[in-house]
Amino acid sequence: MNKKFISVFLLLCLLAGYKNANAAIKLPGLIGDHMILQRDTKIPVWGWATKNSEIELKFNNKIYKTKTGNDGKWIIRLKPLKAGGPYDMNIKGDGSNIYIKDILIGDVWICSGQSNMAYQFTNPRAKIKYADEIANAQNDRIRQIMIEKKYAVSEQDDCKTYGWKSVHPQNTINFSSVAYFFAKELYKKYQIPIGLISSNWGGTKAEAWTSEEGLKNMSRYNNDIFILKTPEELEKKFEQARQNGEKWDLQVEREDKGYQNGHAIWAAYDFDDSNWETMPQADLWDNHGYASPNNQGAFWYRKEILLPQDAAGKDGILDLGGVDDIDYTYFNGQLIGQQKIGIRRYKVPASLVKAGKNIIAVRIINNRGRGGLLDQPRKYNWNGNKNSIDIDGAWKFKRSVKIGGRPGEYNPYNMPTALYNGMISPLKPYAFKGVIWYQGESNTDQAYEYRELFPAMIKDWRKQWGREFPFLFVQLANFKKADAQPQESDWAELREAQSMTLQLPKTAMSVIIDLGEADDIHPVNKEDVGKRLALAARKTAYGEKGIVASGPTYKNMKIKDDKIILFFENIGNGLTARNGKLKQFAIAGADKKFVWADAVINGNTVIVSSPSVKTPIAVRYAWSDNPEGCNLYNSEGLPASPFRTDHWDGKTKIKYRK
């Protein structure tokens, strides 16, 4: 990206909010055919035209009039209406005569966050799991409008959209899956139109979704905001990131002992791998003594497979599961395929296929985080002309290059304020019921900052709209390999920060610690996520009495002899252990060394103890990236939120609380 491009881009961003002073009526991207408007409140409709021109709007047998200001902007606030429709709207003025048809009145929800909110039914796994749902989806009273991805250096007053689309097999495939199931549940309950404003972007951080005003008390973001607004500084960042990435690539290439001068030495058919380590089945190397950080770089995997006589000299297909991040796969010393993250299926030319012994070698380049072959979904097969052979089982493996993570590309969309400017600011002043939010994965290395940042973002949005609307969010799911022993966890700390945000009024959190997947940061089960958000909405946004919308949440504790008694809120009709005795409870004494504990339900409390901890002072529950098997629920079937009775002050020492 060169300086000229950056300068032009920034100029366009700065001018995007300015409307031609001689233009006819222009409406924002949110307003158009099939839109859903918010019931029971004054409904803002706005646009731009020549300054000081007359605007007339007809809607629901009423006529509204106004004039544009010197900036060409006009706004009319329609009288509140009950749910219903369809209605039509006619807007005249400045030589324009615009008709908007098929308008419904109902409840509108902003659906924002990162990739798990953006996750659509187009996902291959979702297509399979929800095939019947997609094929039979038909509800004209649930509609979504998708906001086009855009970052900006200053607050924009308009955005591009893909138009309002109703639930229909052709449209539903592009719905946010979480938002779709959320809306489906609300419609089933209240039988009113539900509008979804889908404004999300995968891999994004909360600070990118917060305005400059919202971040004003967090000086750590000031420099990045300055860079975003300064073309020369932004160009420097792009160039530095490019150079750093190239240096990393060259170092891996230079130091890879298995690949020298263009020759894949460790892929050779007769290469001696007898001194390599062995893993019992395809897996990440992190799970075999090479855990991150600083175990990125290059690893090699090798495997011998035996093929029957009738396979020799015939084309074959290798199914080799997933890989993280990039693979180069060889068959009997010859490269047969390469790709980035994803399921691999490679054709093997007949000339390479032998009867008996054949060698598969995989060179894996891992840029950051965990790396290696993925053990889920499990799919390792040889598919020949007449047969399919399971080739799952042991792999030899060896590290070739040890290096830290690859410097990432410079992504201005993740700069503080960038997405608020481009994708949230343009939604003002559209009226809506509330927000559903699914984000946090990209902030897991900033859990203590998130304690301040996330509430600040919510308060910022509320201030921008001038009202305290309901804000419902999803706590991070379980993810990564389960720990054999109690460990510290960035993901657990981020979940804790999310829980602390519940101190804000009209917020609710949906716990999905039981819906995640160890090897996929995008779990396919979005139906239960949507249903739990809908439960939260029914209580927090719609004020239903007596509804249990949350699983058990930690309240306080009491130490009694060698046991700790835990007290909870949101227990509904009682605590329960799903699928056997309670798991994922850990306990510690003054040495702060946590060990697995025995935990039993006693009425509305849980009693925790361990023979190895005679004087306990703290308990943790489900405190890991993936607390596999955690099973404390209430009788309504909602899981308990992970917690710890100790907490880190973020500076020097661990503090404990009662």
Side-chain angles (χ1 to χ4, degrees), residues 273-499:
D273 60 17
S274 59
N275 65 341
W276 285 23
E277 296 178 76
T278 301
M279 57 179 64
Q281 60 183 18
D283 199 359
L284 300 169
W285 59 69
D286 300 67
N287 300 325
H288 299 273
Y290 297 93
S292 298
N294 298 323
N295 269 306
Q296 289 74 43
F299 272 71
W300 283 77
Y301 288 67
R302 283 175 60 93
K303 183 181 188 66
E304 177 182 319
I305 63 171
L306 299 176
L307 297 180
Q309 186 67 45
D310 62 4
K314 297 184 179 68
D315 290 341
I317 300 290
L318 269 180
D319 287 318
L320 290 175
V323 65
D324 190 351
D325 288 309
I326 305 167
D327 81 293
Y328 299 83
T329 297
Y330 300 82
F331 192 86
N332 290 336
Q334 297 297 311
L335 182 68
I336 60 169
Q338 65 184 78
Q339 71 176 50
K340 293 186 178 180
I341 294 174
I343 303 301
R344 297 164 299 146
R345 196 164 207 257
Y346 295 144
K347 181 179 179 180
V348 183
S351 60
L352 298 180
V353 183
K354 306 173 184 289
K357 174 184 171 182
N358 291 264
I359 298 294
I360 303 169
V362 186
R363 178 186 183 225
I364 297 177
I365 308 298
N366 179 243
N367 294 330
R368 60 188 62 87
R370 308 174 309 150
L373 299 175
L374 300 181
D375 61 351
Q376 296 291 337
R378 173 68 57 196
K379 191 175 185 181
Y380 288 82
N381 291 293
W382 168 269
N383 298 287
N385 201 23
K386 295 181 178 178
N387 44 43
S388 177
I389 301 171
D390 184 354
I391 59 170
D392 198 1
W395 286 78
K396 294 289 191 72
F397 74 105
K398 185 176 179 66
R399 180 170 63 192
S400 180
V401 180
K402 179 183 180 182
I403 189 174
R406 187 183 192 276
E409 296 178 0
Y410 194 73
N411 296 321
Y413 64 79
N414 245 338
M415 300 281 278
T417 76
L419 298 182
Y420 173 84
N421 291 338
M423 299 177 67
I424 297 299
S425 178
L427 308 185
K428 298 180 299 185
Y430 206 88
F432 61 93
K433 180 76 171 180
V435 173
I436 57 173
W437 172 264
Y438 193 163
Q439 188 275 338
E441 295 91 339
S442 291
N443 285 95
T444 51
D445 60 345
Q446 303 166 269
Y448 292 97
E449 293 178 15
Y450 205 79
R451 293 181 180 185
E452 179 184 13
L453 173 62
F454 189 33
M457 190 203 82
I458 296 171
K459 288 186 281 189
D460 177 39
W461 287 21
R462 288 173 168 175
K463 185 176 181 180
Q464 298 293 336
W465 265 273
R467 67 185 187 89
E468 199 174 71
F469 51 77
F471 195 103
L472 320 175
F473 56 94
V474 181
Q475 192 183 55
L476 291 186
N478 48 310
F479 176 55
K480 304 182 186 179
K481 198 78 171 180
D483 294 320
Q485 298 298 326
Q487 304 285 340
E488 297 300 328
S489 164
D490 289 345
W491 280 62
E493 290 173 355
L494 198 285
R495 294 187 194 108
E496 179 181 62
Q498 291 174 313
S499 298

Side-chain angles (χ1 to χ4, degrees), residues 168 187 268 431 454 593:
H168 180 279
Y187 183 80
F454 189 33
K593 293 180 180 178

Side-chain angles (χ1 to χ4, degrees), residues 212-228:
E212 185 171 356
E213 182 182 359
L215 295 174
K216 66 183 179 182
N217 294 324
M218 288 170 268
S219 59
R220 59 185 174 272
Y221 298 117
N222 289 350
N223 187 56
D224 282 341
I225 294 172
F226 167 76
I227 290 171
L228 183 67

Side-chain angles (χ1 to χ4, degrees), residues 116-117 178 437-439 441 473-479 491 495 498 509-517 520-533 549-551 622 625-627 630 633 637-642:
N116 273 301
M117 182 61 80
V178 167
W437 172 264
Y438 193 163
Q439 188 275 338
E441 295 91 339
F473 56 94
V474 181
Q475 192 183 55
L476 291 186
N478 48 310
F479 176 55
W491 280 62
R495 294 187 194 108
Q498 291 174 313
M509 181 177 73
S510 295
V511 176
I512 59 166
I513 199 68
D514 55 342
L515 302 181
E517 300 174 23
D520 198 335
I521 201 169
H522 306 116
V524 71
N525 184 354
K526 295 295 189 282
E527 182 173 8
D528 286 326
V529 182
K531 286 181 175 179
R532 290 179 187 177
L533 279 170
S550 167
D625 297 344
N626 181 8
C630 62
Y633 287 72
L638 296 173
S641 178

